[in-house]
Amino acid sequence: AKDPVRVLVTGAAGQIGYALVPMIARGVMLGPDQPVILHMLDIPPAAESLNGVKMELVDAAFPLLKGVVATTDVVEACTGVNIAVMVGGFPRKEGMERKDVMSKNVSIYKSQASALEKHAAANCKVLVVANPANTNALILKEFAPSIPEKNISCLTRLDHNRALGQISERLNVQVSDVKNVIIWGNHSSTQYPDVNHATVNTTAGEKAVRELVADDAWLNGEFIKTVQQRGAAIIKARKLSSALSAASAACDHIRDWVLGTPEGTWVSMGVYSDGSYNVPAGLIYSFPVTCQNGEWKIVQGLSIDEFSRKKLDLTADELSEEKALAYSCLS
Ligand code: NAX
């Protein structure tokens, strides 16, 4: 039998946490033969609720779940973890300035970065979900200099999956037959969902999404907007933000990162930019990536037309601004 993997979920008493921990305990994230020990962190006001989640995990009698640590102590939470899914953060409340929200999250991610750096297992992989996800991940990277930058990422897989879902609905095909959409940039409304290289598996072989949809106005307009605004549409409908789809996307992200992407398929991950596609180096930016042996690699050589170029730059500009704002909160 395999040794258990320790998986940290911060903000585990929240909405996404409640959807995510049972998925991890069932093997959705790391596979049906991989035992796990869950580390759950939240803040003291949520301690009782966190303990309730722990009770339910016990009651669910998951065969793969070999232990549960539920704590409000960040050092205890981070000790020995192999994977860290950072869902906890300070939400934007009505009437709050962007700078105030940023400042709260910068201080959270700065201190959690240090705890991970000192106490996590060597080669721990980190996924930041909490918003502003890209910039929280960047702060985490800056304050955990001994964690390799290739081990720090943020979640844009939900946006990626939303794009697959929209194409599948529009063409009335199975979502599993659609692949290679790309989310470029920030997990925000400036993200660019790009279908220029996306394909659908049909009985007549692989066909380009653009060819099958045959409606560039829709693809360049409503489609992009729908994916960009999907989070807000869910809030409007549910009166709560996306949770099950976010949890599922977090599992997809880690699973593909650890176990590899299928041959010929790429996924979107927010990763540390090396300047690929003329995206400024030093931002956490969502790129198309393939994964093998536990490492991601940015897909190279895709053609970028003028329309796309503008959109890649726009979302990069927003990230540069966020980075400057985050740094201004440090001083
Ligand atoms: P909730 O407010 O339900 O849960 C957040 C939890 O984090 C709470 O239990 C809170 O007590 C805890 N928390 C706050 N500060 C903490 C700290 N310093 N250490 C540990 N825990 C802390 O929010 P939920 O709906 O679960 O969303 C969580 C985060 O995911 C939010 O920042 C949200 O904006 C972000 N999202 C990101 C998405 C993505 O695709 N990247 C999509 C979904 C989601 O909107």
Side-chain angles (χ1 to χ4, degrees):
K2 291 181 170 177
D3 287 337
V5 168
R6 290 179 184 270
V7 183
L8 166 66
V9 176
T10 71
Q15 275 213 96
I16 295 175
Y18 192 72
L20 179 58
V21 292
M23 290 183 190
I24 298 171
R26 268 207 186 276
V28 174
M29 177 179 274
L30 294 168
D33 62 345
Q34 177 59 63
V36 293
I37 296 173
L38 270 168
H39 288 220
M40 304 195 296
L41 175 71
D42 214 295
I43 49 178
E48 195 180 353
S49 164
L50 184 68
N51 195 45
V53 178
K54 179 177 176 177
M55 287 158 68
E56 285 205 66
L57 287 169
V58 171
D59 296 350
F62 293 113
L64 287 174
L65 187 60
K66 301 304 175 190
V68 181
V69 177
T71 181
T72 57
D73 181 273
V74 63
V75 170
E76 188 186 4
C78 291
T79 298
V81 298
N82 308 99
I83 291 180
V85 187
M86 315 299 285
V87 185
F90 196 91
R92 184 163 187 176
K93 293 181 189 146
E94 230 175 282
M96 248 181 119
E97 294 291 333
R98 219 161 73 94
K99 172 145 191 178
D100 298 332
V101 190
M102 182 68 84
S103 157
K104 300 264 190 207
N105 283 298
V106 162
S107 82
I108 293 171
Y109 278 81
K110 192 178 158 187
S111 75
Q112 295 187 353
S114 311
L116 281 172
E117 165 158 67
K118 290 199 196 88
H119 304 287
N123 215 27
C124 174
K125 286 180 161 62
V126 183
L127 165 61
V128 178
V129 175
N131 282 315
N134 301 55
T135 300
N136 286 342
L138 185 66
I139 294 298
L140 197 154
K141 184 218 153 268
E142 302 288 45
F143 289 94
S146 72
I147 300 181
E149 64 203 25
K150 67 176 194 331
N151 287 20
I152 295 171
S153 66
C154 82
L155 188 72
T156 55
R157 183 62 173 269
L158 175 55
D159 308 293
H160 181 101
N161 289 347
R162 285 168 171 165
L164 295 176
Q166 289 302 308
I167 297 297
S168 128
E169 296 265 284
R170 166 83 185 202
L171 291 173
N172 198 20
V173 298
Q174 295 300 318
V175 72
S176 55
D177 285 329
V178 188
K179 67 173 187 181
N180 296 352
V181 297
I182 303 166
I183 302 299
W184 298 98
N186 200 1
H187 168 69
S188 77
S189 57
T190 66
Q191 65 176 256
Y192 171 43
D194 175 359
V195 296
N196 287 335
H197 309 276
T199 60
V200 178
N201 189 21
T202 74
T203 46
E206 244 171 42
K207 292 261 191 278
V209 162
R210 258 196 203 277
E211 197 181 306
L212 291 174
V213 172
D215 183 349
D216 285 340
W218 182 79
L219 284 172
N220 295 347
E222 200 182 320
F223 163 77
I224 292 176
K225 215 167 149 199
T226 301
V227 175
Q228 288 174 335
Q229 309 283 339
R230 188 68 161 181
I234 300 288
I235 293 175
K236 191 155 175 284
R238 239 170 59 84
K239 321 285 179 265
L240 285 170
S241 56
S242 334
L244 88 85
S245 54
S248 182
C251 290
D252 288 347
H253 177 113
I254 297 288
R255 190 198 56 236
D256 287 347
W257 190 2
V258 172
L259 301 175
T261 43
E263 184 69 37
T265 300
W266 64 64
V267 294
S268 302
M269 280 173 70
V271 295
Y272 196 63
S273 170
D274 61 354
S276 291
Y277 295 98
N278 287 317
V279 169
L283 297 175
I284 300 270
Y285 189 98
S286 179
F287 286 99
V289 301
T290 54
C291 304
Q292 217 183 356
N293 303 323
E295 296 206 0
W296 53 266
K297 220 169 58 196
I298 296 173
V299 176
Q300 297 295 335
L302 298 172
S303 59
I304 306 294
D305 62 18
E306 211 178 307
F307 178 85
S308 300
R309 186 70 255 167
K310 289 205 181 97
K311 298 221 170 306
L312 263 74
D313 292 343
L314 185 83
T315 189
D317 289 348
E318 183 183 55
L319 281 169
S320 299
E321 272 169 41
E322 273 187 25
K323 179 177 180 174
L325 183 63
Y327 272 85
S328 77
C329 297
L330 288 167
S331 45

